[in-house]
Amino acid sequence: MKKLLNAHLQIFRNEEHCEYLVLFRGLILQFKTVEDLVAALYPVFTDLLDREEDLIDAMHKSSYTKLIAEAAYRVDRTLVGMRGVIVAALHHFVPATVEAAQRLFDRFDSFGRIIKKAYEAEALDVNLLIKDLQGEYATDVTTVGLTTWLAELQAAEAAFELLLKERNAESAHKPQDQLRRLRQEIDVVYHRMTDRINAAATLDDAGAYYEFVDLLNAEITYFNNHTHRHARKDLSVAEACVIEPLELQPYTGKAITPVPAAHYREEGKPTVELVFAKDFFVTYKNNVDVGMADLVIHGKGAYRGQKKTTFAIARKP
């Protein structure tokens, strides 16, 4: 006898909660016996899940997102430029300049890769760095020629932090309560569905459910043990995930479900080929009729987030 494990839905972050339920829905559609078993509940479940996806997506699409990214890039570009000036000064013909550059280089290096940190952590480090450059290292800044660079860093950081503050003020008015209530509703439906699956899996002829139970239990184990404790690589980050273009798909009158080749790229590391069913699964929309179909890959296992693409369906000439 097999039984579904308990997914700790209440402790999943919003994105993880939605991601797990999208995966659950995807598995249901792969097993006709399970789909038939929960058919009465499925429409309510998928409607709630669609609403949850839309709400989370809307919360992420803040009007400040692009502005903050641009402001962060200005700060990062300035930091990279300052480091470049320091590195060049390490080879200066005046010994005093070399010594000043070395002290600045060591101080910069003590912060690690500032530009790779989360926004709030980066802001904290940049402010500490600015304080040091204005104080203890002020003479070295002048010697190496970083005075105007420091002024630019201050201005860039001030603009960046102002946008963060405004975004946080906007976020305070977002419908967090609505999402919390929606999660409670969908959790009730989810548990009713899993109760039916568990009941069916106890029957003598429950073999048709075993593969589904095994697959979902593997995902439940991962989500329970990892999602809220360990960072996973995010496929939705710009340019991190590359989906290879799909060939033109012939119209058949049935759902077209191609699986694309996908890769994950991380700066300074080799490109990783993502493995279907292990690293991601796929959902589709508008994939029956002639025209453009939507395809979304969803991270799983060590990956999270989504990446969208399209492919074309056409009749054979």
Side-chain angles (χ1 to χ4, degrees):
M1 181 181 74
K2 295 192 176 185
K3 185 177 181 181
L4 288 173
L5 299 174
N6 179 36
H8 301 160
L9 299 178
Q10 70 279 4
I11 64 173
F12 292 171
R13 296 190 181 99
N14 289 333
E15 293 81 2
E16 294 162 354
H17 182 271
C18 185
E19 182 181 342
Y20 170 72
L21 293 180
V22 167
L23 187 148
F24 174 67
R25 179 175 63 185
L27 278 179
I28 287 175
L29 296 178
Q30 294 179 35
F31 291 84
K32 180 64 175 174
T33 52
V34 177
E35 185 179 359
D36 291 342
L37 182 67
V38 298
L41 294 167
Y42 184 80
V44 177
F45 172 79
T46 197
D47 177 64
L48 290 170
L49 183 54
D50 286 343
R51 287 164 53 192
E52 182 176 359
E53 286 188 281
D54 291 342
L55 188 55
I56 290 175
D57 189 49
M59 291 172 67
H60 284 171
K61 289 181 179 177
S62 165
S63 58
Y64 288 96
T65 300
K66 184 177 179 181
L67 293 175
I68 288 174
E70 292 173 348
Y73 176 71
R74 179 186 173 189
V75 174
D76 294 346
R77 182 182 58 190
T78 305
L79 287 168
V80 171
M82 293 175 76
R83 192 178 185 90
V85 173
I86 293 169
V87 170
L90 289 172
H91 304 282
H92 203 277
F93 58 86
V94 177
T97 301
V98 175
E99 293 173 2
Q102 186 62 60
R103 286 189 291 269
L104 290 171
F105 181 86
D106 292 342
R107 187 60 185 127
F108 267 69
D109 198 51
S110 69
F111 285 96
R113 299 292 300 278
I114 294 180
I115 65 175
K116 289 294 184 181
K117 296 181 180 180
Y119 284 159
E120 288 76 9
E122 178 178 348
L124 178 62
D125 282 355
V126 170
N127 278 295
L128 289 174
L129 179 59
I130 289 173
K131 182 179 179 181
D132 286 347
L133 296 179
Q134 291 175 327
E136 181 180 352
Y137 298 88
T139 300
D140 293 334
V141 166
T142 302
T143 301
V144 172
L146 284 178
T147 303
T148 55
W149 282 97
L150 179 55
E152 169 61 15
L153 181 62
Q154 285 182 274
E157 181 61 25
F160 172 65
E161 291 187 27
L162 178 60
L163 287 170
L164 277 182
K165 187 177 296 184
E166 291 175 349
R167 185 192 65 177
N168 291 339
E170 179 193 73
S171 297
H173 298 91
K174 286 179 178 177
Q176 298 287 352
D177 289 341
Q178 182 181 351
L179 181 59
R180 185 162 45 249
R181 290 193 297 270
L182 189 60
R183 283 185 56 161
Q184 292 171 349
E185 286 184 59
I186 198 169
D187 286 357
V188 170
V189 180
Y190 167 82
H191 287 303
R192 288 177 180 171
M193 295 170 77
T194 53
D195 284 346
R196 292 193 178 189
I197 296 169
N198 279 333
T202 63
L203 301 176
D204 293 337
D205 59 345
Y209 301 99
Y210 284 177
E211 185 180 359
F212 176 88
V213 171
D214 286 342
L215 288 171
L216 188 58
N217 276 346
E219 297 300 334
I220 291 172
T221 299
Y222 187 91
F223 272 79
N224 284 346
N225 294 333
H226 294 82
T227 53
H228 57 291
R229 298 179 185 174
H230 302 282
R232 293 187 295 159
K233 297 174 181 178
D234 192 348
L235 300 183
S236 65
V237 173
E239 299 183 2
C241 178
V242 178
I243 303 176
E244 299 295 334
L246 286 162
E247 296 180 353
L248 183 67
Q249 302 294 310
Y251 171 78
T252 65
K254 298 180 181 179
I256 306 297
T257 57
V259 176
H263 301 82
Y264 181 81
R265 301 189 303 191
E266 192 171 355
E267 184 178 351
K269 296 183 180 180
T271 298
V272 177
E273 182 175 356
L274 301 177
V275 179
F276 176 64
K278 175 179 177 290
D279 299 322
F280 71 95
F281 66 97
V282 185
T283 58
Y284 308 86
K285 287 184 179 180
N286 305 317
N287 60 325
V288 175
D289 296 328
V290 170
M292 297 304 296
D294 299 314
L295 180 153
V296 181
I297 71 170
H298 305 261
K300 60 180 294 190
Y303 298 88
R304 65 178 299 273
Q306 304 175 2
K307 191 77 171 185
K308 299 180 181 180
T309 189
T310 59
F311 61 93
I313 302 173
R315 297 182 187 275
K316 293 182 179 180

